[in-house]
Amino acid sequence: GAGVSQTPSNKVTEKGKYVELRCDPISGHTALYWYRQSLGQGPEFLIYFQGTGAADDSGLPNDRFFAVRPEGSVSTLKIQRTERGDSAVYLCASSFGTGGPQHFGDGTRLSIL
Amino acid sequence: KQEVTQIPAALSVPEGENLVLNCSFTDSAIYNLQWFRQDPGKGLTSLLLIQSSQREQTSGRLNASLDKSSGRSTLYIAASQPGDSATYLCAVRYGGATNKLIFGTGTLLAVQP
């Protein structure tokens, strides 16, 4: 597609469950980023991939959060043992190389009941 | 700590008015600065990107300026229209190995017809 695609658009699950969020970056973009946005706040950085490797994972809040990008394209953000505080919009972005503008998807709205 | 602040938090103007949104950052050693627009329930749309060596960028009715020495950027919107109503976010990328963006909390703009 022409833009960054994220699925699902909405996810509702119970506390303690495992969730996976998917991001399809713009074709040809080597860099991929995950951010989390709480209501009324700006996005906060989680992790950045250059190719298949995580170049910076300093924003992951704890070891319940993990992300992969096995073939250097699609990425999956995985959250184990979800907590109510994990409820937020999870945004994915990609860029061509590291110096260009980041282009964002519409996000996945995650609600933990 | 590297922080980004946006003032005002909310702004309401009549259609046709020119307006300025402000962004300030605590560390002047930036790599680039990006302005985004976010519509309700949507992801971020990149408006303008200013490299650290540049002083301004223009796109249509939008003009963004950058003053690194004072730690400030402004987004100027000329002849505002109701369709400009959205949240405007400023994001800074600092130098070094990381490509993460540090966001402000945004300015919610309402343009009244």
Side-chain angles (χ1 to χ4, degrees):
Chain A
V4 177
S5 176
Q6 292 189 245
T7 54
S9 55
N10 284 282
K11 177 70 176 179
V12 181
T13 192
E14 295 178 343
K15 177 183 171 183
K17 298 293 187 181
Y18 168 82
V19 296
E20 289 189 355
L21 311 179
R22 175 186 169 106
C23 173
D24 275 278
I26 293 173
S27 179
H29 280 194
T30 56
L32 184 147
Y33 314 80
W34 284 99
Y35 294 83
R36 178 168 73 173
Q37 186 176 26
S38 300
L39 192 64
Q41 301 296 313
E44 293 183 319
F45 170 79
L46 295 176
I47 186 169
Y48 148 61
F49 288 89
Q50 181 59 44
T52 60
D56 182 354
D57 64 358
S58 62
L60 295 177
N62 51 60
D63 61 5
R64 296 187 296 106
F65 289 74
F66 189 71
V68 295
R69 194 186 185 200
E71 298 179 357
S73 178
V74 172
S75 176
T76 304
L77 178 65
K78 308 179 181 190
I79 311 174
Q80 299 177 323
R81 304 183 305 279
T82 52
E83 300 178 356
R84 292 195 178 89
D86 298 335
S87 297
V89 176
Y90 289 80
L91 294 165
C92 178
S94 68
S95 67
F96 182 71
T98 56
Q102 295 184 20
H103 299 272
F104 282 76
D106 284 344
T108 294
R109 184 173 301 276
L110 177 64
S111 300
I112 309 298
L113 303 180
Chain B
K1 182 181 178 183
Q2 295 166 334
E3 293 184 342
V4 179
T5 304
Q6 291 187 249
I7 295 173
L11 181 64
S12 180
V13 300
E15 181 177 3
E17 191 163 299
N18 302 326
L19 59 100
V20 174
L21 307 181
N22 296 291
C23 172
S24 61
F25 41 94
T26 54
D27 185 343
S28 62
I30 70 170
Y31 183 86
N32 61 38
L33 184 146
Q34 200 167 351
W35 281 95
F36 293 90
R37 169 189 173 134
Q38 187 172 33
D39 293 285
K42 296 293 187 181
L44 281 62
T45 300
S46 180
L47 298 174
L48 291 164
L49 181 145
I50 310 176
Q51 301 292 349
S52 63
S53 59
Q54 298 174 319
R55 292 195 61 84
E56 66 178 327
Q57 282 285 335
T58 298
S59 176
R61 294 183 295 109
L62 305 179
N63 176 276
S65 68
L66 174 64
D67 184 343
K68 285 199 306 179
S69 62
S70 66
R72 293 180 182 177
S73 176
T74 61
L75 179 67
Y76 175 83
I77 303 177
S80 58
Q81 303 171 357
D84 295 331
S85 299
T87 296
Y88 290 81
L89 291 155
C90 164
V92 172
R93 179 191 161 192
Y94 287 96
T98 184
N99 286 325
K100 68 181 181 184
L101 295 177
I102 300 176
F103 283 85
T105 53
T107 294
L108 176 61
L109 173 65
V111 180
Q112 307 299 331

